[in-house]
mmCIF file of all heavy atoms in Angstrom:
data_model
loop_
_atom_site.group_PDB
_atom_site.id
_atom_site.type_symbol
_atom_site.label_atom_id
_atom_site.label_comp_id
_atom_site.label_asym_id
_atom_site.label_seq_id
_atom_site.Cartn_x
_atom_site.Cartn_y
_atom_site.Cartn_z
ATOM 1 N N ALA Z 76 20.189 30.386 -46.291
ATOM 2 C CA ALA Z 76 20.899 30.627 -47.551
ATOM 3 C C ALA Z 76 22.179 31.405 -47.274
ATOM 4 O O ALA Z 76 22.171 32.387 -46.529
ATOM 5 C CB ALA Z 76 20.014 31.398 -48.523
ATOM 6 N N ILE Z 77 23.272 30.946 -47.889
ATOM 7 C CA ILE Z 77 24.564 31.598 -47.752
ATOM 8 C C ILE Z 77 25.124 31.861 -49.141
ATOM 9 O O ILE Z 77 25.161 30.956 -49.987
ATOM 10 C CB ILE Z 77 25.540 30.726 -46.932
ATOM 11 C CG1 ILE Z 77 25.017 30.583 -45.497
ATOM 12 C CG2 ILE Z 77 26.949 31.312 -46.954
ATOM 13 C CD1 ILE Z 77 25.861 29.681 -44.619
ATOM 14 N N GLU Z 78 25.558 33.097 -49.371
ATOM 15 C CA GLU Z 78 26.174 33.452 -50.646
ATOM 16 C C GLU Z 78 27.636 33.031 -50.637
ATOM 17 O O GLU Z 78 28.345 33.241 -49.649
ATOM 18 C CB GLU Z 78 26.070 34.968 -50.864
ATOM 19 C CG GLU Z 78 26.659 35.428 -52.186
ATOM 20 C CD GLU Z 78 26.518 36.919 -52.360
ATOM 21 O OE1 GLU Z 78 27.420 37.656 -51.886
ATOM 22 O OE2 GLU Z 78 25.512 37.354 -52.945
ATOM 23 N N VAL Z 79 28.076 32.437 -51.738
ATOM 24 C CA VAL Z 79 29.470 32.019 -51.902
ATOM 25 C C VAL Z 79 29.978 32.537 -53.246
ATOM 26 O O VAL Z 79 29.183 32.828 -54.144
ATOM 27 C CB VAL Z 79 29.618 30.481 -51.821
ATOM 28 C CG1 VAL Z 79 29.195 29.962 -50.452
ATOM 29 C CG2 VAL Z 79 28.823 29.779 -52.906
ATOM 30 N N ASP Z 80 31.293 32.656 -53.385
ATOM 31 C CA ASP Z 80 31.865 33.124 -54.651
ATOM 32 C C ASP Z 80 31.652 32.103 -55.766
ATOM 33 O O ASP Z 80 31.348 32.468 -56.895
ATOM 34 C CB ASP Z 80 33.361 33.407 -54.498
ATOM 35 C CG ASP Z 80 33.631 34.631 -53.644
ATOM 36 O OD1 ASP Z 80 32.781 35.549 -53.623
ATOM 37 O OD2 ASP Z 80 34.684 34.668 -52.985
ATOM 38 N N ASP Z 81 31.837 30.820 -55.454
ATOM 39 C CA ASP Z 81 31.749 29.752 -56.453
ATOM 40 C C ASP Z 81 31.075 28.546 -55.790
ATOM 41 O O ASP Z 81 31.646 27.922 -54.903
ATOM 42 C CB ASP Z 81 33.155 29.387 -56.939
ATOM 43 C CG ASP Z 81 33.179 28.308 -57.996
ATOM 44 O OD1 ASP Z 81 32.382 27.349 -57.925
ATOM 45 O OD2 ASP Z 81 34.025 28.410 -58.907
ATOM 46 N N VAL Z 82 29.867 28.219 -56.228
ATOM 47 C CA VAL Z 82 29.084 27.145 -55.607
ATOM 48 C C VAL Z 82 29.785 25.798 -55.777
ATOM 49 O O VAL Z 82 29.825 24.985 -54.841
ATOM 50 C CB VAL Z 82 27.648 27.098 -56.182
ATOM 51 C CG1 VAL Z 82 26.852 25.959 -55.562
ATOM 52 C CG2 VAL Z 82 26.931 28.424 -55.952
ATOM 53 N N TYR Z 83 30.352 25.540 -56.946
ATOM 54 C CA TYR Z 83 31.031 24.258 -57.200
ATOM 55 C C TYR Z 83 32.232 24.091 -56.273
ATOM 56 O O TYR Z 83 32.409 23.042 -55.650
ATOM 57 C CB TYR Z 83 31.470 24.169 -58.666
ATOM 58 C CG TYR Z 83 30.316 24.156 -59.634
ATOM 59 C CD1 TYR Z 83 29.849 25.334 -60.207
ATOM 60 C CD2 TYR Z 83 29.683 22.957 -59.971
ATOM 61 C CE1 TYR Z 83 28.778 25.325 -61.095
ATOM 62 C CE2 TYR Z 83 28.612 22.943 -60.857
ATOM 63 C CZ TYR Z 83 28.168 24.132 -61.415
ATOM 64 O OH TYR Z 83 27.106 24.120 -62.288
ATOM 65 N N GLU Z 84 33.043 25.139 -56.144
ATOM 66 C CA GLU Z 84 34.221 25.091 -55.280
ATOM 67 C C GLU Z 84 33.809 24.964 -53.822
ATOM 68 O O GLU Z 84 34.428 24.233 -53.050
ATOM 69 C CB GLU Z 84 35.071 26.352 -55.504
ATOM 70 C CG GLU Z 84 36.390 26.369 -54.736
ATOM 71 C CD GLU Z 84 36.250 26.838 -53.292
ATOM 72 O OE1 GLU Z 84 35.388 27.686 -53.010
ATOM 73 O OE2 GLU Z 84 37.000 26.325 -52.435
ATOM 74 N N ALA Z 85 32.754 25.662 -53.429
ATOM 75 C CA ALA Z 85 32.289 25.594 -52.041
ATOM 76 C C ALA Z 85 31.876 24.167 -51.687
ATOM 77 O O ALA Z 85 32.184 23.677 -50.598
ATOM 78 C CB ALA Z 85 31.135 26.564 -51.812
ATOM 79 N N CYS Z 86 31.194 23.491 -52.596
ATOM 80 C CA CYS Z 86 30.794 22.091 -52.342
ATOM 81 C C CYS Z 86 32.018 21.205 -52.147
ATOM 82 O O CYS Z 86 32.042 20.360 -51.245
ATOM 83 C CB CYS Z 86 29.946 21.561 -53.493
ATOM 84 S SG CYS Z 86 28.250 22.160 -53.486
ATOM 85 N N ARG Z 98 22.665 18.149 -52.218
ATOM 86 C CA ARG Z 98 22.243 18.490 -53.582
ATOM 87 C C ARG Z 98 23.452 19.136 -54.234
ATOM 88 O O ARG Z 98 23.909 20.197 -53.839
ATOM 89 C CB ARG Z 98 21.064 19.475 -53.545
ATOM 90 C CG ARG Z 98 20.293 19.604 -54.854
ATOM 91 C CD ARG Z 98 20.883 20.676 -55.737
ATOM 92 N NE ARG Z 98 19.951 21.066 -56.801
ATOM 93 C CZ ARG Z 98 20.310 21.742 -57.863
ATOM 94 N NH1 ARG Z 98 21.571 22.111 -58.047
ATOM 95 N NH2 ARG Z 98 19.430 22.074 -58.774
ATOM 96 N N GLU Z 99 24.008 18.441 -55.214
ATOM 97 C CA GLU Z 99 25.225 18.916 -55.861
ATOM 98 C C GLU Z 99 25.008 20.266 -56.529
ATOM 99 O O GLU Z 99 23.898 20.620 -56.913
ATOM 100 C CB GLU Z 99 25.708 17.897 -56.900
ATOM 101 C CG GLU Z 99 26.191 16.589 -56.308
ATOM 102 C CD GLU Z 99 27.435 16.728 -55.451
ATOM 103 O OE1 GLU Z 99 28.251 17.664 -55.670
ATOM 104 O OE2 GLU Z 99 27.601 15.900 -54.534
ATOM 105 N N ALA Z 100 26.083 20.995 -56.714
ATOM 106 C CA ALA Z 100 26.037 22.291 -57.375
ATOM 107 C C ALA Z 100 25.559 22.139 -58.809
ATOM 108 O O ALA Z 100 25.954 21.211 -59.511
ATOM 109 C CB ALA Z 100 27.419 22.940 -57.352
ATOM 110 N N GLY Z 101 24.692 23.041 -59.210
ATOM 111 C CA GLY Z 101 24.189 23.044 -60.578
ATOM 112 C C GLY Z 101 23.007 23.984 -60.689
ATOM 113 O O GLY Z 101 22.524 24.518 -59.679
ATOM 114 N N PRO Z 102 22.533 24.198 -61.911
ATOM 115 C CA PRO Z 102 21.393 25.101 -62.098
ATOM 116 C C PRO Z 102 20.149 24.577 -61.397
ATOM 117 O O PRO Z 102 19.917 23.369 -61.335
ATOM 118 C CB PRO Z 102 21.186 25.111 -63.614
ATOM 119 C CG PRO Z 102 22.440 24.570 -64.193
ATOM 120 C CD PRO Z 102 23.031 23.664 -63.163
ATOM 121 N N MET Z 103 19.364 25.511 -60.866
ATOM 122 C CA MET Z 103 18.107 25.117 -60.230
ATOM 123 C C MET Z 103 17.141 24.595 -61.290
ATOM 124 O O MET Z 103 17.237 24.971 -62.459
ATOM 125 C CB MET Z 103 17.486 26.279 -59.450
ATOM 126 C CG MET Z 103 17.017 27.447 -60.302
ATOM 127 S SD MET Z 103 16.307 28.790 -59.334
ATOM 128 C CE MET Z 103 14.652 28.213 -59.128
ATOM 129 N N LYS Z 104 16.257 23.730 -60.860
ATOM 130 C CA LYS Z 104 15.241 23.203 -61.758
ATOM 131 C C LYS Z 104 14.350 24.359 -62.211
ATOM 132 O O LYS Z 104 13.938 25.182 -61.393
ATOM 133 C CB LYS Z 104 14.416 22.141 -61.017
ATOM 134 C CG LYS Z 104 13.503 21.353 -61.897
ATOM 135 C CD LYS Z 104 12.832 20.249 -61.088
ATOM 136 C CE LYS Z 104 11.989 19.382 -61.980
ATOM 137 N NZ LYS Z 104 11.373 18.284 -61.223
ATOM 138 N N HIS Z 105 14.085 24.432 -63.493
ATOM 139 C CA HIS Z 105 13.243 25.474 -64.082
ATOM 140 C C HIS Z 105 13.871 26.857 -63.969
ATOM 141 O O HIS Z 105 13.167 27.857 -63.852
ATOM 142 C CB HIS Z 105 11.841 25.497 -63.454
ATOM 143 C CG HIS Z 105 11.173 24.166 -63.426
ATOM 144 N ND1 HIS Z 105 10.841 23.471 -64.563
ATOM 145 C CD2 HIS Z 105 10.791 23.389 -62.387
ATOM 146 C CE1 HIS Z 105 10.280 22.320 -64.236
ATOM 147 N NE2 HIS Z 105 10.245 22.253 -62.910
ATOM 148 N N GLY Z 106 15.213 26.941 -63.957
ATOM 149 C CA GLY Z 106 15.877 28.239 -63.879
ATOM 150 C C GLY Z 106 17.350 28.101 -64.189
ATOM 151 O O GLY Z 106 17.831 27.027 -64.540
ATOM 152 N N SER Z 107 18.068 29.187 -64.037
ATOM 153 C CA SER Z 107 19.495 29.170 -64.357
ATOM 154 C C SER Z 107 20.389 29.476 -63.151
ATOM 155 O O SER Z 107 21.605 29.386 -63.256
ATOM 156 C CB SER Z 107 19.785 30.184 -65.466
ATOM 157 O OG SER Z 107 19.405 31.484 -65.047
ATOM 158 N N THR Z 108 19.810 29.820 -62.019
ATOM 159 C CA THR Z 108 20.599 30.118 -60.826
ATOM 160 C C THR Z 108 21.338 28.872 -60.368
ATOM 161 O O THR Z 108 20.737 27.810 -60.198
ATOM 162 C CB THR Z 108 19.693 30.625 -59.686
ATOM 163 O OG1 THR Z 108 19.000 31.791 -60.130
ATOM 164 C CG2 THR Z 108 20.495 30.937 -58.440
ATOM 165 N N VAL Z 109 22.654 28.990 -60.185
ATOM 166 C CA VAL Z 109 23.447 27.861 -59.703
ATOM 167 C C VAL Z 109 23.342 27.821 -58.182
ATOM 168 O O VAL Z 109 23.541 28.827 -57.506
ATOM 169 C CB VAL Z 109 24.918 27.979 -60.138
ATOM 170 C CG1 VAL Z 109 25.765 26.876 -59.514
ATOM 171 C CG2 VAL Z 109 25.020 27.931 -61.659
ATOM 172 N N LEU Z 110 23.015 26.639 -57.663
ATOM 173 C CA LEU Z 110 22.863 26.461 -56.222
ATOM 174 C C LEU Z 110 23.257 25.052 -55.824
ATOM 175 O O LEU Z 110 23.474 24.185 -56.658
ATOM 176 C CB LEU Z 110 21.429 26.762 -55.786
ATOM 177 C CG LEU Z 110 20.294 25.953 -56.435
ATOM 178 C CD1 LEU Z 110 20.061 24.635 -55.712
ATOM 179 C CD2 LEU Z 110 19.028 26.779 -56.423
ATOM 180 N N ALA Z 111 23.352 24.844 -54.527
ATOM 181 C CA ALA Z 111 23.613 23.528 -53.941
ATOM 182 C C ALA Z 111 23.035 23.552 -52.537
ATOM 183 O O ALA Z 111 22.704 24.613 -52.003
ATOM 184 C CB ALA Z 111 25.106 23.232 -53.896
ATOM 185 N N PHE Z 112 22.899 22.367 -51.942
ATOM 186 C CA PHE Z 112 22.451 22.263 -50.557
ATOM 187 C C PHE Z 112 23.407 21.369 -49.780
ATOM 188 O O PHE Z 112 23.851 20.335 -50.280
ATOM 189 C CB PHE Z 112 21.037 21.676 -50.472
ATOM 190 C CG PHE Z 112 19.951 22.679 -50.730
ATOM 191 C CD1 PHE Z 112 19.472 22.883 -52.019
ATOM 192 C CD2 PHE Z 112 19.404 23.421 -49.694
ATOM 193 C CE1 PHE Z 112 18.475 23.801 -52.268
ATOM 194 C CE2 PHE Z 112 18.405 24.352 -49.931
ATOM 195 C CZ PHE Z 112 17.929 24.543 -51.221
ATOM 196 N N GLU Z 122 21.409 26.352 -48.081
ATOM 197 C CA GLU Z 122 21.493 26.565 -49.520
ATOM 198 C C GLU Z 122 22.707 27.430 -49.806
ATOM 199 O O GLU Z 122 22.926 28.446 -49.145
ATOM 200 C CB GLU Z 122 20.228 27.264 -50.015
ATOM 201 C CG GLU Z 122 20.226 27.517 -51.514
ATOM 202 C CD GLU Z 122 18.956 28.210 -51.978
ATOM 203 O OE1 GLU Z 122 18.387 29.009 -51.198
ATOM 204 O OE2 GLU Z 122 18.562 27.970 -53.119
ATOM 205 N N LEU Z 123 23.497 27.017 -50.787
ATOM 206 C CA LEU Z 123 24.629 27.800 -51.241
ATOM 207 C C LEU Z 123 24.251 28.441 -52.568
ATOM 208 O O LEU Z 123 23.799 27.764 -53.492
ATOM 209 C CB LEU Z 123 25.849 26.912 -51.451
ATOM 210 C CG LEU Z 123 26.284 26.060 -50.252
ATOM 211 C CD1 LEU Z 123 27.449 25.155 -50.644
ATOM 212 C CD2 LEU Z 123 26.651 26.941 -49.072
ATOM 213 N N LEU Z 124 24.385 29.760 -52.647
ATOM 214 C CA LEU Z 124 24.039 30.505 -53.853
ATOM 215 C C LEU Z 124 25.249 31.308 -54.301
ATOM 216 O O LEU Z 124 25.948 31.909 -53.463
ATOM 217 C CB LEU Z 124 22.879 31.477 -53.593
ATOM 218 C CG LEU Z 124 21.533 30.831 -53.324
ATOM 219 C CD1 LEU Z 124 20.558 31.851 -52.759
ATOM 220 C CD2 LEU Z 124 20.980 30.239 -54.614
ATOM 221 N N GLY Z 125 25.492 31.329 -55.616
ATOM 222 C CA GLY Z 125 26.581 32.129 -56.158
ATOM 223 C C GLY Z 125 26.302 33.616 -56.012
ATOM 224 O O GLY Z 125 25.147 34.038 -56.020
ATOM 225 N N ALA Z 126 27.385 34.384 -55.877
ATOM 226 C CA ALA Z 126 27.250 35.845 -55.772
ATOM 227 C C ALA Z 126 26.623 36.379 -57.055
ATOM 228 O O ALA Z 126 26.913 35.905 -58.152
ATOM 229 C CB ALA Z 126 28.606 36.478 -55.532
ATOM 230 N N LYS Z 127 25.762 37.370 -56.905
ATOM 231 C CA LYS Z 127 25.094 37.969 -58.080
ATOM 232 C C LYS Z 127 25.908 39.084 -58.644
ATOM 233 O O LYS Z 127 26.589 39.780 -57.986
ATOM 234 C CB LYS Z 127 23.703 38.469 -57.679
ATOM 235 C CG LYS Z 127 22.813 37.328 -57.284
ATOM 236 C CD LYS Z 127 21.372 37.773 -57.138
ATOM 237 C CE LYS Z 127 20.589 36.586 -56.623
ATOM 238 N NZ LYS Z 127 19.404 36.292 -57.173
#
Side-chain angles (χ1 to χ4, degrees):
I77 295 177
E78 181 179 87
V79 297
D80 290 331
D81 181 322
V82 178
Y83 296 93
E84 185 277 327
C86 284
R98 196 271 196 196
E99 293 295 333
M103 66 180 276
K104 190 175 184 178
H105 309 297
S107 59
T108 302
V109 174
L110 58 86
F112 279 90
E122 180 180 32
L123 305 176
L124 292 166
K127 295 191 185 225

